[in-house]
Amino acid sequence: MVSLIGDFQGMITAAAESLRSKAIEQGGTRKAARRKALRSSVELMFSPQPTPGSTVFHLWQKPQVPDNQVAAAQGALEVEGGPPLVDIAMSRVMDVLDSARSETPSPTELRDVLGPLGVTHAGRLQSLIKSLLAKDMDLDLTWGDTENGIRSTRLYRREAAFLESVVSKASEQSERVTLAGVLRTVSNLRKVDLELEDERIITAELDPSLTDESLGRHYMKPVMVVADVETVWQNTLGRAKRTYTFLSIEPRSKT
């Protein structure tokens, strides 16, 4: 049961992170605080209530511990006047489960629903489904929120098998992002290393429009980079492979 709970929470968190990825990236040096705030805002509490033949888990949003920094970061993630992020993420996860319940479920339509939630969510979903199938368990989910009231969905063995057949294949996602860092390495193979503000280093290929001369001007200097990112989630290996292509590199203005 612990793994099922962990995967379910992971699905909600991953969905929320994908839905608010732009707000997190725009946080600059506050990205870590925004990511922490997001995870805090969608953290769930689980209370088991065993019944004959099944176990019912009551879910609710974990009460927030007063933290001014977290509260400020959460404000940047929520849409003013909109529902709480935990309700949005839960609704999107339920959309995925509902997509497998039609009489003639479509793999293409399912991928369209899954795509915006990101490859990490797909991996968590696959892990949850495998556990359900291995234990011959069904999943019934009911959630109440201030926007839509009470909503219910389910995942029985037939629907779970269909979902597993779709997400077991490599999931792909493409996006355009803006990165801030220092250009550390420029090679004659048109590969560059960029050290990000969180000290991670990514290696990227270069768009043909970027000249060697322009790269030399930015070497070992703070820059802003526009990049295309291709992500392939290898579900069977439980990891994601990301390939970066830098489209433009500009000096980063001092703030």
Side-chain angles (χ1 to χ4, degrees):
M1 283 296 181
V2 174
S3 62
L4 288 172
I5 293 172
D7 285 329
F8 187 84
Q9 176 67 75
M11 285 169 53
I12 300 299
T13 303
E17 288 181 339
S18 291
L19 294 170
R20 291 294 182 267
S21 60
K22 288 185 179 179
I24 292 174
E25 290 300 322
Q26 290 169 355
T29 57
R30 296 182 295 276
K31 282 194 293 186
R34 289 190 179 185
R35 186 169 282 109
K36 177 183 177 182
L38 180 145
R39 292 175 178 175
S40 175
S41 67
V42 298
E43 187 174 358
L44 300 173
M45 300 290 287
F46 295 79
S47 176
Q49 300 289 331
T51 61
S54 64
T55 299
V56 176
F57 285 91
H58 292 279
L59 314 178
W60 67 95
Q61 184 181 16
K62 185 176 181 179
Q64 303 292 294
V65 177
D67 185 317
N68 291 337
Q69 185 180 20
V70 170
Q74 285 176 341
L77 298 169
E78 300 286 359
V79 177
E80 186 174 356
L85 183 55
V86 65
D87 290 342
I88 298 173
M90 184 68 73
S91 178
R92 294 297 184 88
V93 168
M94 296 178 83
D95 287 344
V96 172
L97 302 185
D98 279 345
S99 70
R101 294 178 55 195
S102 66
E103 293 184 3
T104 56
S106 165
T108 301
E109 292 180 3
L110 174 57
R111 292 190 186 100
D112 289 342
V113 177
L114 278 170
L117 302 184
V119 291
T120 304
H121 172 271
R124 285 290 199 170
L125 174 61
Q126 187 192 32
S127 180
L128 176 71
I129 292 170
K130 283 187 173 181
S131 295
L132 292 174
L133 292 174
K135 300 177 187 299
D136 197 21
M137 295 174 63
D138 297 328
L139 174 68
D140 286 275
L141 176 62
T142 299
W143 182 259
D145 63 56
T146 56
E147 180 96 346
N148 301 308
I150 303 296
R151 178 181 176 184
S152 297
T153 189
R154 68 174 189 270
L155 192 65
Y156 295 166
R157 188 170 186 84
R158 181 181 70 86
E159 292 96 342
F162 168 71
L163 277 174
E164 204 279 332
S165 71
V166 174
V167 299
S168 63
K169 301 174 183 177
S171 303
E172 298 183 8
Q173 181 181 23
S174 300
E175 59 181 333
R176 184 160 293 181
V177 299
T178 300
L179 305 169
V182 175
L183 207 58
R184 291 295 187 190
T185 304
V186 178
S187 77
N188 57 6
L189 297 178
R190 295 191 62 76
K191 295 273 190 178
V192 295
D193 288 339
L194 180 72
E195 182 176 354
L196 304 178
E197 293 177 326
D198 59 7
E199 298 184 349
R200 289 184 297 124
I201 295 177
I202 61 174
T203 299
E205 297 182 352
L206 298 172
D207 186 81
S209 64
L210 292 173
T211 65
D212 293 339
E213 181 182 356
S214 66
L215 291 174
R217 292 199 306 268
H218 299 307
Y219 178 59
M220 295 299 289
K221 295 179 181 178
V223 294
M224 296 296 294
V225 175
V226 176
D228 280 343
V229 186
E230 298 286 337
T231 305
V232 176
W233 177 263
Q234 298 167 306
N235 292 310
T236 55
L237 300 178
R239 63 171 181 257
K241 179 181 179 181
R242 292 180 175 87
T243 302
Y244 293 83
T245 300
F246 288 176
L247 304 178
S248 67
I249 303 175
E250 299 293 340
R252 184 173 54 180
S253 58
K254 296 182 179 180
T255 57

